[in-house]
Amino acid sequence: LQSTAAHAHTAIKTFLKWCAQRGYLTSSPISELEKPALPKSRERVLTDDEIRMIYAVAPPIVRLLILLGQRRSETAAIRGEWLNGDVLTIPGEQAKNHRTHSIPVPSIALSLIDHVASRSPANSWSKTKAAIDSKVNIPPWRFHDARRTLATVWQRLGIRGDCIDAYLNHVSGQSAVTRTYQRHRYEDEMREAVAMYEAWFTKVILPG
């Protein structure tokens, strides 16, 4: 809600300023109104035990959130044609930043991708979350925490931050020069990172 209010303030203030500049208003009635504060970044990272408990009872789509760390809307939209071997390509029109995004995926995720791609319409995210919460007893968490958790686990495994950013298709922290001129896609590094993550996941999270 805070984020929505901040974006609405910017849009309305711009429109009213435009009206005042053209004489439709004598002045903007909100020119002195301060912009609502944006929400603070969440810091929740799931522990290994929490990942294990959630994964054990989660449906395939939530397991993919944990294994792939991609955005919820992108994961929910997965189609069979996005997968070529073990490489998943999210089209630019589906990605939040509108950049086509290709990643290698763990072998344990392949059957889950097939299931999600061919599924019938799923329950809402809120119902899915409620069903999981009814089976696990952990502090409050959100689906987006899975994305932050994957990044943190990769960091623990010694994977470089630029490789993590590349895998998550995260460009907001990059400079304009980096986005424009540095075109390395980290294919080999991501493949090595995924292998390390799958080995860790199989040993630590999956039941024996």
Side-chain angles (χ1 to χ4, degrees):
L1 292 177
Q2 287 174 295
S3 178
T4 301
H7 289 305
H9 175 275
T10 298
I12 294 170
K13 187 172 183 179
T14 300
F15 173 69
L16 293 177
K17 181 179 179 181
W18 180 88
C19 290
Q21 289 172 339
R22 286 156 180 78
Y24 301 123
L25 296 172
T26 56
S27 63
S28 170
I30 66 167
S31 59
E32 302 301 322
L33 183 65
E34 293 186 3
K35 184 176 182 178
L38 290 171
K40 294 182 179 180
S41 174
R42 285 176 53 83
E43 298 180 353
R44 178 81 159 96
V45 173
L46 301 171
T47 67
D48 293 355
D49 285 340
E50 290 172 341
I51 299 171
R52 189 180 303 111
M53 287 187 286
I54 293 170
Y55 192 88
V57 301
I61 193 168
V62 177
R63 290 185 173 189
L64 280 182
L65 292 179
I66 295 171
L67 285 169
L68 303 183
Q70 303 306 302
R71 296 179 178 90
R72 189 173 63 177
S73 60
E74 297 163 353
T75 304
I78 286 176
R79 299 292 178 265
E81 59 266 26
W82 292 10
L83 192 64
N84 182 13
D86 67 346
V87 175
L88 180 72
T89 298
I90 300 171
E93 60 268 21
Q94 186 61 49
K96 181 180 179 181
N97 58 16
H98 308 296
R99 290 167 48 131
T100 299
H101 182 46
S102 295
I103 57 171
V105 300
S107 60
I108 55 177
L110 294 176
S111 62
L112 298 174
I113 290 175
D114 287 340
H115 185 280
V116 168
S118 62
R119 73 193 186 288
S120 57
N123 290 333
S124 68
W125 286 107
S126 59
K127 290 182 179 179
T128 300
K129 176 70 160 47
I132 295 173
D133 286 342
S134 69
K135 300 174 184 177
V136 299
N137 183 21
I138 64 175
W141 64 287
R142 299 178 183 177
F143 286 128
H144 189 75
D145 297 336
R147 182 171 166 84
R148 188 181 305 105
T149 299
L150 179 138
T152 302
V153 171
W154 281 32
Q155 184 182 34
R156 282 165 45 193
L157 294 174
I159 297 165
R160 290 169 41 182
D162 48 3
C163 178
I164 297 173
D165 284 342
Y167 193 80
L168 296 179
N169 200 14
H170 185 249
V171 299
S172 61
Q174 296 178 354
S175 68
V177 171
T178 298
R179 291 194 299 269
T180 303
Y181 295 105
Q182 296 183 21
R183 312 305 293 177
H184 181 53
R185 298 303 182 190
Y186 294 91
E187 289 94 342
D188 293 338
E189 294 91 337
M190 287 194 294
R191 187 168 292 283
E192 181 178 352
V194 165
M196 292 173 61
Y197 180 58
E198 181 167 22
W200 172 86
F201 200 93
T202 302
K203 178 179 178 181
V204 176
I205 303 302
L206 295 183

